[in-house]
mmCIF file of all heavy atoms in Angstrom:
data_model
loop_
_atom_site.group_PDB
_atom_site.id
_atom_site.type_symbol
_atom_site.label_atom_id
_atom_site.label_comp_id
_atom_site.label_asym_id
_atom_site.label_seq_id
_atom_site.Cartn_x
_atom_site.Cartn_y
_atom_site.Cartn_z
ATOM 1 N N GLY A 13 -4.634 -1.779 18.665
ATOM 2 C CA GLY A 13 -3.714 -1.908 17.535
ATOM 3 C C GLY A 13 -2.394 -1.179 17.693
ATOM 4 O O GLY A 13 -1.435 -1.487 17.037
ATOM 5 N N ALA A 14 -2.348 -0.200 18.562
ATOM 6 C CA ALA A 14 -1.075 0.483 18.789
ATOM 7 C C ALA A 14 -0.696 0.253 20.241
ATOM 8 O O ALA A 14 -1.482 0.539 21.133
ATOM 9 C CB ALA A 14 -1.206 1.964 18.524
ATOM 10 N N GLN A 15 0.455 -0.325 20.461
ATOM 11 C CA GLN A 15 0.818 -0.670 21.824
ATOM 12 C C GLN A 15 2.259 -0.309 22.124
ATOM 13 O O GLN A 15 3.125 -0.433 21.275
ATOM 14 C CB GLN A 15 0.626 -2.169 22.037
ATOM 15 C CG GLN A 15 0.801 -2.585 23.500
ATOM 16 C CD GLN A 15 0.407 -4.020 23.698
ATOM 17 O OE1 GLN A 15 0.785 -4.877 22.914
ATOM 18 N NE2 GLN A 15 -0.353 -4.292 24.739
ATOM 19 N N ARG A 16 2.467 0.214 23.331
ATOM 20 C CA ARG A 16 3.816 0.564 23.755
ATOM 21 C C ARG A 16 4.088 -0.161 25.053
ATOM 22 O O ARG A 16 3.336 -0.063 26.004
ATOM 23 C CB ARG A 16 3.915 2.067 23.980
ATOM 24 C CG ARG A 16 3.303 2.840 22.854
ATOM 25 C CD ARG A 16 3.250 4.295 23.179
ATOM 26 N NE ARG A 16 4.606 4.784 23.436
ATOM 27 C CZ ARG A 16 4.842 6.008 23.889
ATOM 28 N NH1 ARG A 16 3.836 6.791 24.179
ATOM 29 N NH2 ARG A 16 6.068 6.418 24.079
ATOM 30 N N GLN A 17 5.151 -0.905 25.058
ATOM 31 C CA GLN A 17 5.474 -1.659 26.262
ATOM 32 C C GLN A 17 6.713 -1.102 26.937
ATOM 33 O O GLN A 17 7.234 -1.671 27.885
ATOM 34 C CB GLN A 17 5.638 -3.141 25.917
ATOM 35 C CG GLN A 17 4.326 -3.706 25.365
ATOM 36 C CD GLN A 17 4.414 -5.155 24.999
ATOM 37 O OE1 GLN A 17 5.488 -5.712 24.839
ATOM 38 N NE2 GLN A 17 3.258 -5.790 24.847
ATOM 39 N N SER A 18 7.203 0.024 26.441
ATOM 40 C CA SER A 18 8.411 0.612 27.033
ATOM 41 C C SER A 18 8.024 1.869 27.805
ATOM 42 O O SER A 18 7.104 2.586 27.431
ATOM 43 C CB SER A 18 9.385 1.013 25.928
ATOM 44 O OG SER A 18 8.811 2.060 25.171
ATOM 45 N N ALA A 19 8.717 2.091 28.913
ATOM 46 C CA ALA A 19 8.532 3.343 29.634
ATOM 47 C C ALA A 19 9.227 4.447 28.842
ATOM 48 O O ALA A 19 10.154 4.168 28.084
ATOM 49 C CB ALA A 19 9.156 3.232 31.018
ATOM 50 N N PRO A 20 8.748 5.704 28.989
ATOM 51 C CA PRO A 20 9.431 6.803 28.311
ATOM 52 C C PRO A 20 10.911 6.821 28.675
ATOM 53 O O PRO A 20 11.262 6.648 29.841
ATOM 54 C CB PRO A 20 8.711 8.044 28.837
ATOM 55 C CG PRO A 20 7.359 7.547 29.214
ATOM 56 C CD PRO A 20 7.576 6.157 29.723
ATOM 57 N N LYS A 21 11.752 6.976 27.686
ATOM 58 C CA LYS A 21 13.194 6.984 27.927
ATOM 59 C C LYS A 21 13.696 8.413 28.119
ATOM 60 O O LYS A 21 13.119 9.336 27.547
ATOM 61 C CB LYS A 21 13.921 6.371 26.721
ATOM 62 C CG LYS A 21 13.506 4.936 26.430
ATOM 63 C CD LYS A 21 14.077 3.963 27.465
ATOM 64 C CE LYS A 21 13.702 2.526 27.119
ATOM 65 N NZ LYS A 21 12.249 2.318 27.040
ATOM 66 N N PRO A 22 14.749 8.593 28.919
ATOM 67 C CA PRO A 22 15.352 9.918 28.985
ATOM 68 C C PRO A 22 15.816 10.319 27.586
ATOM 69 O O PRO A 22 16.189 9.461 26.790
ATOM 70 C CB PRO A 22 16.539 9.725 29.939
ATOM 71 C CG PRO A 22 16.811 8.249 29.946
ATOM 72 C CD PRO A 22 15.479 7.609 29.735
ATOM 73 N N GLY A 23 15.746 11.600 27.335
ATOM 74 C CA GLY A 23 16.155 12.036 25.994
ATOM 75 C C GLY A 23 14.974 12.084 25.045
ATOM 76 O O GLY A 23 15.075 12.537 23.924
ATOM 77 N N GLY A 24 13.827 11.609 25.501
ATOM 78 C CA GLY A 24 12.628 11.690 24.666
ATOM 79 C C GLY A 24 12.192 13.143 24.564
ATOM 80 O O GLY A 24 12.643 13.989 25.330
ATOM 81 N N ALA A 25 11.288 13.404 23.642
ATOM 82 C CA ALA A 25 10.875 14.800 23.430
ATOM 83 C C ALA A 25 9.764 15.220 24.397
ATOM 84 O O ALA A 25 9.440 16.375 24.529
ATOM 85 C CB ALA A 25 10.387 14.968 22.004
#
Side-chain angles (χ1 to χ4, degrees):
Chain A
Q15 188 172 45
R16 313 173 59 187
Q17 298 180 343
S18 66
K21 300 287 183 302

